[in-house]
Amino acid sequence: MPTDPSAAQLAAAEPDLRHHGDSEVGGGLVDLAVNVRTGTPPAWLRRVLADSLDGLAAYPDGSTARAAVAARHGRAPEEVLLTSGAAEAFVLLARALRPRRAVVVHPQFTEPEAALRDAGHPVERLLLRKEAGFRLDPSAFPSEADLVVVGNPTNPTSVLHPATTLAELARPGRVLVVDEAFADTVPGETESLAARSDVPGLVVLRSLTKTWGLAGLRIGYVLAEPELIARLAAAQPLWPVSSPALTAAIACSSPAALVEADTAAKATVADRDHLLTRLTELPGVRVHGTPEASFVLVELAGADEVRLRLRAAGFAVRRGDSFPGLGPDWLRIAVRDRATTDAFCAALGQALAI
Ligand SMILES: Cc1ncc(COP(=O)(O)O)c(C=O)c1O
């Protein structure tokens, strides 16, 4: 039976939403594919986590961690839900909500769309354009959209949307999910909506993964109005967050930890400037928009081949073709220290010259 070529082409063009950078690392490759800060978790945090093991015989009680996170953002504890990473929050939202018209902004982290589809919800993609620097245009959103999901700063574009633009997307009857998993990589967390309890339907997702190097611990949280928090909590299993993860939430909410995170974010800015300078020296490599997070998205012809050459040279970077709105000519590169960036850019220059 001849197959319908247009359907086959469509299937081939459909990005793999379940592909993530962690499947591109390992085997001794230098990791510029996963955007977790290097040298983490810091020694003091490891010690705090190690001490928490003494309490493992008891079932976890999240009330102290919930209060600590609430205080850190100037919110009430009822406005906080601790989760097993931000990733769990996408699933909870997909299970608890019944959107009639869900709009997911792309390119962005693909799990929110995957979770919504898994739960049986149709999803519309709103593709931001490179010509517009991947910036948001609030007038492009259908007024009937009752669920909108956007990342800020956005993975993989590294674009930081103004808080005012995001707040403009909110309206009664709409849930506006802002994934702020990378907000703490921006000095001063400018443009964060985490403290805003006055924006109707706003849901902010946060993660301790990136800045603190806790991808393996699984700890994040949701900030939203108490009624929605209660609905999301009802979709969680019993004891969803382990006591070491709760300990991390308390420790990383302390004033000293916030200062440390901000210092790290400022160092990231300096390292990112260095990476951007090196990239401009390479022919045919183009950065669209202004990167503001701990990674940079680049366009270059034949990036899919270049990525393989980089792997052969010992460097892993994130492929771009699994993000809706991008394709085989895109790569995402994590910001690293200057020496790593220099070695990487030398390898990239050679990979481009072939
Ligand atoms: C934009 C974004 N949001 C959320 C997550 C998930 O974070 P967590 O480790 O807290 O589940 C990731 C992980 O890569 C991400 O890139």
Side-chain angles (χ1 to χ4, degrees):
M1 278 271 288
T3 53
D4 173 358
S6 59
Q9 275 162 6
L10 265 179
E14 181 53 27
D16 174 8
L17 300 182
R18 285 262 141 84
H19 179 87
H20 299 299
D22 58 339
S23 59
E24 303 195 36
V25 295
L29 296 178
V30 179
D31 174 9
L32 293 94
V34 176
N35 300 311
V36 171
R37 183 162 67 104
T38 48
T40 53
W44 68 265
L45 184 52
R46 284 172 204 239
R47 276 195 300 277
V48 170
L49 291 173
D51 288 350
S52 79
L53 300 185
D54 290 342
L56 280 188
Y59 281 104
D61 172 2
S63 52
T64 307
R66 194 181 193 193
V69 169
R72 179 242 194 274
H73 292 289
R75 311 273 306 234
E78 301 72 43
E79 296 176 299
V80 176
L81 183 70
L82 298 156
T83 56
S84 178
E88 190 199 0
F90 299 130
V91 175
L92 297 177
L93 286 161
R95 289 185 184 160
L97 302 177
R98 295 274 170 275
R100 288 182 307 280
R101 195 160 175 191
V103 174
V104 177
V105 176
H106 282 292
Q108 78 152 308
F109 187 52
T110 46
E111 275 303 310
E113 175 172 330
L116 286 167
R117 290 194 184 282
D118 281 353
H121 306 302
V123 175
E124 276 173 56
R125 292 178 182 165
L126 194 146
L127 295 183
L128 303 185
R129 296 165 47 251
K130 67 177 181 181
E131 293 79 8
F134 295 112
R135 304 218 153 265
L136 281 174
D137 171 8
S139 70
F141 287 79
S143 57
E144 310 78 33
D146 56 355
L147 173 63
V148 167
V149 187
V150 58
N152 205 40
T154 307
N155 168 13
T157 62
S158 203
V159 167
L160 182 66
H161 302 292
T164 46
T165 308
L166 290 170
E168 258 184 72
L169 299 177
R171 61 207 59 213
R174 173 183 290 175
V175 173
L176 170 64
V177 179
V178 182
D179 174 5
E180 293 193 359
F182 285 97
D184 57 357
T185 70
V186 178
E189 296 196 2
T190 56
E191 316 312 330
S192 170
L193 291 171
R196 295 281 299 272
S197 42
D198 59 320
V199 180
L202 175 66
V203 177
V204 173
L205 308 184
R206 301 284 298 223
S207 170
L208 299 189
T209 291
K210 316 295 180 179
T211 288
W212 296 109
L214 296 177
L217 190 62
R218 313 307 306 132
I219 177 70
Y221 50 91
V222 183
L223 302 164
E225 56 204 13
E227 188 268 334
L228 182 54
I229 291 291
R231 279 167 69 195
L232 298 177
Q236 273 186 315
L238 194 55
W239 306 300
V241 181
S242 70
S243 19
L246 294 171
T247 299
I250 296 167
C252 297
S253 298
S254 73
L258 298 185
V259 170
E260 184 174 327
D262 203 55
T263 304
K266 287 177 182 140
T268 297
V269 172
D271 287 341
R272 188 180 60 228
D273 287 346
H274 183 72
L275 171 62
L276 289 170
T277 304
R278 284 281 170 275
L279 289 174
T280 54
E281 294 163 1
L282 297 169
V285 178
R286 172 109 197 253
V287 176
H288 294 272
T290 311
E292 304 265 11
S294 53
F295 46 87
V296 168
L297 179 69
V298 298
E299 185 181 27
L300 59 119
D304 47 353
E305 282 297 319
V306 169
R307 186 179 69 86
L308 298 179
R309 283 180 217 139
L310 283 167
R311 291 182 75 78
F315 294 92
V317 291
R318 173 67 160 86
R319 63 194 302 160
D321 57 358
S322 66
F323 290 105
L326 300 181
D329 287 341
W330 296 84
L331 296 175
R332 192 192 68 200
I333 304 165
V335 173
R336 298 293 185 227
D337 62 87
R338 286 170 176 233
T340 305
T341 293
D342 287 347
F344 166 72
C345 286
L348 179 55
Q350 283 176 1
L352 291 168
I354 292 173

